[in-house]
Amino acid sequence: MDGPDGGEAAQPQPLEWRFAQVFGERAAGEDVQEVDIISAIEFDRSGDHLATGDKGGRVVLFERTDARDQNGSRRELERQDVPITRHLEFRYKTEFQSHEPEFDYLKSLEIEEKINKIKWCQTANNALSLLSTNDKTIKYWKVQEKKVKRVSVMNLDTSQSVGSSSAVSAGTSSSKAPLPNGGCSEKFNCPNNDLSFPPGGYASLRLPVVTSLEANPVARCRRVYAHAHDYHINSISNNSDGETFISADDLRINLWNLEINSQSFNIVDVKPSNMEDLTEVITCAEFHPTHCNTLAYSSSKGSIRLIDLRQSALCDNHSKIFEEHEAPGSRSFFTEIIASISDIKFSRDGRYILGRDYMTLKLWDLNMDSGPVSTFQVHEHLRPKLCDLYENDSIFDKFECCLSGDGLRVATGSYGNMFRVFGCTPGSMEATTLEASRNPMRRQVANPTRPTRTLASFTCGVRRGGENAGADANGNSFDFSTKLLHLAWHPTENSIACAAANSLYMYYA
C-alpha cells in the first residue's frame, strides 16, 4: 500500500479492544442447555440490526440503540467532526421459532432444528427480512412492527343508573339472566314485564373503546424453500441484485429466486457418476458483494473457486482457482483434514476473499491467484496435538472468519473461547488475542513479529512442541470443548460480535 508520495503508507495503529456488552452470560457453575448454544451470527448491511440463531431453531434479533440524537445518525456526527465517545450498544428486539425438528420417513433420517446460517435481505416498507436455514429447509422471514389492539373500556357499568329505581324488579327469579339493555335472554323464558327499564335508561351505556398498544415486532414466514438438497445445507448467500440467493450442500449449489419457492436451478454439481470417485466436497459458498454474476465456493481440499454465472447454465468450469500447494515432504495423515476450508468471506469492496482452514487464515487478492497475499497462523501451537484433536473430533470443528468494513483487519475464533484479530495491510505487525469474557484482554499476549506476507510463528506465548504445547498464555491446559466458532464484524465500525456457547459477547475498539 503506497502513500501519496509513492512511499509506503503509514501503518494503522493497532486497535485496543474493550468489552461492550453481553447477552445470556452464564452464572458460575450453570449448565448450558444444548438448544441454547448459538450456531449463527449475522449483522445486516447497515449494522443497525444483529441476528443470532441457535441449536434449538430459534432466531433472536437485536437492534442498535446508541448514537441516535436530534442531529442525526452516528455517521452524520462523524462527518461534522463531532466527538463521539459512546460505543455500539444493542438491545434485545424479538425472537421467533424458525425451525422445528423433523423426521424424513423416506430416508429414516432425523432433521435437526439447528440454525446453520442466517442472511439478511434488503429492507422494504420498514420491515426486516432475512433467510434462515437448517440442514434441509430454508425459510424467508419478514419481521414488522404491528400494533396490538384490545378493548380497554367495556360498554356498561351496572353500578350507575338514572333514578332510584332498580335495574331488576324484585320479582326477578335468580334463574333469569338480565341483559345490559334491560331485556332478557329468551332461553331463560323471561316474561316481558319481569324487568323494568330505568327511566332515562342507563347513563353508563356506551360503545366499547378499542385502543392500540405499543407496536410490537411480529415475525411472519413468507416462503419456505424445501426439498432441493439431498445433503446438509452448509451455507446460503444473498445476491447483490436483491432478487436471488444461493444455497450450498456438500455436492451442489442451487440458485433461487426469493419470490419463487417451487423450483431452483442447479448451477454447480460436483457429484461424480460413481460416488467412489468422490475426492472433495463443497464446504461454503458466497456471492460477490457487488458483481451479481460472480460467486465463490470452497472445498475440503483447501481450494477456493471463482465462477461466472454468465459462462454457462451449469458452472462446471471455474474462472479462477485459489489454492496453495503443500511443500514437498510435508504431507501427513492430517494434511487433507486441516486443509479443508470451513468458511470464506469477501471483503466489502469485493477485491479480496478470506478463507479459514483449520490452522490458518488466508487472504487472497482476486487479481492474483498465484498465492495468498497474507497467511495468518491461528493456533500453530496445536500442531503437535493434532492426534488428540483427531481422537476427540475437534479437528473437524468449523471456525468462521470475518473482515472489517475497511478491509484492514481480519478475525477468527479459536479454542478457550478466544478469538484473534490480525492486521492485513502489508507490513502490519498487529496480532491480538482476546477471550470472550467481560475482561477480554485477560489472556492477551505480546504481539509477535512476523514477515509481511505470513505470520509464521504466532504461538500465543507457548513453546512449540514443548511441554506446555496445547496450553494458553497462562500455562493452563486448553479445554477443547470451549471454542469460539461464530463471529461477525460490524460492516462500518470496529465492533465484533461473537458467540461462546449460549452467550453473545460484543467488543469495540
Side-chain angles (χ1 to χ4, degrees), residues 310-382:
R310 298 171 298 185
Q311 290 181 346
S312 63
L314 186 62
C315 303
D316 292 327
N317 299 318
H318 53 267
S319 56
K320 283 187 179 180
I321 184 169
F322 305 94
E323 60 182 349
E324 193 171 30
H325 298 286
E326 62 192 69
S330 63
R331 188 173 181 82
S332 70
F333 172 78
F334 303 108
T335 298
E336 285 193 10
I337 300 176
I338 64 175
S340 178
I341 296 177
S342 57
D343 191 28
I344 57 173
K345 291 288 193 312
F346 278 100
S347 61
R348 191 175 177 86
D349 60 6
R351 178 179 175 182
Y352 298 96
I353 188 167
L354 180 68
R356 169 71 203 266
D357 58 37
Y358 187 72
M359 300 296 288
T360 67
L361 272 174
K362 291 185 175 72
L363 185 68
W364 298 84
D365 188 328
L366 294 190
N367 299 320
M368 188 182 75
D369 55 6
S370 59
V373 294
S374 291
T375 300
F376 310 96
Q377 305 292 345
V378 180
H379 38 221
E380 182 66 20
H381 59 284
L382 294 182

Side-chain angles (χ1 to χ4, degrees), residues 15-19 419 432-445 447 473-474 507-508:
L15 297 179
E16 183 179 348
W17 291 91
R18 296 182 178 90
F19 168 80
F419 64 98
T432 307
T433 303
L434 303 104
E435 181 189 14
S437 70
R438 291 182 179 272
N439 183 11
M441 311 305 286
R442 182 164 58 199
R443 292 185 179 177
Q444 184 180 4
V445 297
N447 291 339
N474 297 327
Y507 305 93
Y508 72 100

Side-chain angles (χ1 to χ4, degrees), residues 478-496:
F478 266 127
D479 177 8
F480 296 118
S481 64
T482 59
K483 60 197 76 172
L484 198 149
L485 301 176
H486 312 286
L487 76 171
W489 201 303
H490 190 278
T492 58
E493 302 184 30
N494 287 322
S495 179
I496 291 178

Side-chain angles (χ1 to χ4, degrees), residues 64-197:
R64 185 174 174 178
T65 60
D66 68 300
R68 294 289 185 270
D69 65 11
Q70 58 185 359
N71 294 324
S73 69
R74 186 184 188 99
R75 288 180 288 276
E76 291 172 350
L77 294 174
E78 290 172 341
R79 284 197 294 269
Q80 299 167 12
D81 293 328
V82 177
I84 298 175
T85 57
R86 291 185 299 171
H87 58 76
L88 259 70
E89 291 182 1
F90 284 80
R91 70 179 177 188
Y92 169 86
K93 182 179 179 68
T94 188
E95 68 180 79
F96 55 91
Q97 188 71 31
S98 175
H99 288 73
E100 300 281 358
E102 302 174 37
F103 188 82
D104 188 335
Y105 292 96
L106 294 177
K107 297 181 179 179
S108 296
L109 181 69
E110 284 190 35
I111 304 173
E112 293 182 345
E113 65 270 36
K114 172 192 169 187
I115 304 297
N116 291 342
K117 292 288 181 180
I118 295 174
K119 291 293 180 182
W120 290 91
C121 303
Q122 292 184 356
T123 302
N125 300 324
N126 295 322
L128 302 175
S129 300
L130 53 86
L131 292 167
S132 62
T133 183
N134 65 352
D135 286 340
K136 295 292 184 180
T137 306
I138 307 163
K139 294 186 178 182
Y140 180 40
W141 292 91
K142 186 175 183 179
V143 182
Q144 198 166 18
E145 300 284 342
K146 297 284 187 181
K147 287 188 176 180
V148 180
K149 296 181 179 181
R150 73 175 183 184
V151 178
S152 61
V153 180
M154 300 304 292
N155 66 343
L156 176 65
D157 183 359
T158 55
S159 64
Q160 298 178 6
S161 61
V162 178
S164 58
S165 60
S166 172
V168 184
S169 64
T172 303
S173 170
S174 60
S175 64
K176 298 167 185 174
L179 297 180
N181 62 0
C184 183
S185 172
E186 291 183 1
K187 70 178 181 178
F188 290 102
N189 299 317
C190 296
N192 291 335
N193 60 354
D194 261 3
L195 296 175
S196 59
F197 195 83

